[in-house]
Amino acid sequence: EVQLLESGGGLVQPGGSLRLSCAASGFTFSNYAMSWVRQAPGKGLEWVSTISGSGDRTYHADSVKGRFTISRDNSRNTLYLQMNSLRADDTAVYYCAKNDLITIFGVAIDYWGQGTLVTVSS
Amino acid sequence: DIQMTQSPSSLSASVGDRVTITCRASQGISNYLAWFQQKPGKAPKSLIYAASSLQSGVPSKFSGSGSGTDFTLTINSLQPEDFATYYCQQYNSYPPTFGGGTKVEIK
């Protein structure tokens, strides 16, 4: 059974940093690309970042480029999202998601984690 | 960026009804289209990929169709557990973009 368990969310001041983690199990982690998707309170879904199975290719949304970095540790079956220079509009539930192929192109999401809430406020 | 437009944004339906949701892409995306279901306070659930292929474990009451720019999600024999918000997403090119969602409510 695929399981994705996010952690690391919480309250942070504007300009601060946070690192989200996603512990994966139930599949061969290194064989699949992984993504982060967020959802602001009462709003729709917004793609944030995707990383290939090997970790050598990444994409980030323009809204987070230069501030957020997606990475993975295949030896620990863990996905990360390093978030720096946080702003109020980054407040959202952040979901870890498994893609259905190793590449980052043309890949659908097949499984989602339960999400972790990040609140950016003073 | 490719814009994804869903319609309607909300609808009311009765148990047993057949419901159709439409998703239009601002440019052609072949069949790189997914559908997700989200219930209040819960994570999204993947329903359909490649426009018409059901994810593992998804009941056949859900079906998807379309290619290019126009896509539909159909739910047959609506049940209480199907009342939720549904999102489409294109993954043909970066950035992957979602539709605004369609909230299916009980009439």
Side-chain angles (χ1 to χ4, degrees):
Chain A
E1 178 191 6
V2 171
Q3 292 195 6
L4 302 170
L5 187 61
E6 301 96 333
S7 60
L11 175 64
V12 60
Q13 291 188 336
S17 298
L18 215 52
R19 188 177 82 157
L20 305 183
S21 299
C22 172
S25 62
F27 63 102
T28 304
F29 184 66
S30 59
N31 284 356
Y32 296 93
M34 297 291 294
S35 297
W36 290 98
V37 176
R38 69 184 180 182
Q39 186 170 37
K43 302 297 184 182
L45 300 169
E46 179 189 16
W47 169 79
V48 175
S49 303
T50 298
I51 186 167
S52 62
S54 63
D56 62 340
R57 299 291 300 272
T58 62
Y59 269 92
H60 295 83
D62 285 346
S63 58
V64 307
K65 200 171 293 182
R67 300 187 300 122
F68 291 11
T69 302
I70 189 172
S71 63
R72 63 193 297 159
D73 185 339
N74 286 345
S75 67
R76 296 178 182 269
N77 290 348
T78 303
L79 176 72
Y80 302 101
L81 186 67
Q82 178 66 44
M83 304 186 295
N84 299 328
S85 302
L86 282 160
R87 312 185 302 222
D89 62 358
D90 294 318
T91 294
V93 174
Y94 285 74
Y95 295 102
C96 165
K98 173 185 172 292
N99 293 106
D100 63 359
L101 293 171
I102 193 170
T103 179
I104 59 172
F105 296 106
V107 286
I109 291 172
D110 53 7
Y111 293 94
W112 299 73
Q114 87 290 347
T116 187
L117 176 63
V118 173
T119 303
V120 184
S121 175
S122 55
Chain B
D1 297 2
I2 298 175
Q3 306 303 314
M4 304 301 293
T5 304
Q6 280 183 244
S7 60
S9 57
S10 66
L11 64 90
S12 295
S14 301
V15 172
D17 283 355
R18 179 184 184 188
V19 165
T20 297
I21 299 168
T22 296
C23 181
R24 174 165 288 175
S26 60
Q27 62 190 74
I29 59 169
S30 185
N31 69 335
Y32 291 101
L33 192 282
W35 290 97
F36 306 100
Q37 175 195 65
Q38 187 177 35
K39 297 179 181 179
K42 301 294 186 182
K45 175 186 176 182
S46 299
L47 298 177
I48 286 171
Y49 67 99
S52 60
S53 297
L54 257 58
Q55 289 285 358
S56 174
V58 174
S60 59
K61 63 187 300 182
F62 292 95
S63 63
S65 65
S67 183
T69 60
D70 294 312
F71 303 86
T72 59
L73 172 70
T74 298
I75 311 170
N76 287 308
S77 187
L78 206 63
Q79 295 301 305
E81 61 269 22
D82 301 327
F83 291 93
T85 299
Y86 293 84
Y87 294 93
C88 63
Q89 183 214 23
Q90 70 79 19
Y91 53 97
N92 177 74
S93 62
Y94 280 91
T97 45
F98 291 89
T102 295
K103 188 173 183 179
V104 177
E105 298 175 302
I106 301 174
K107 182 183 286 184

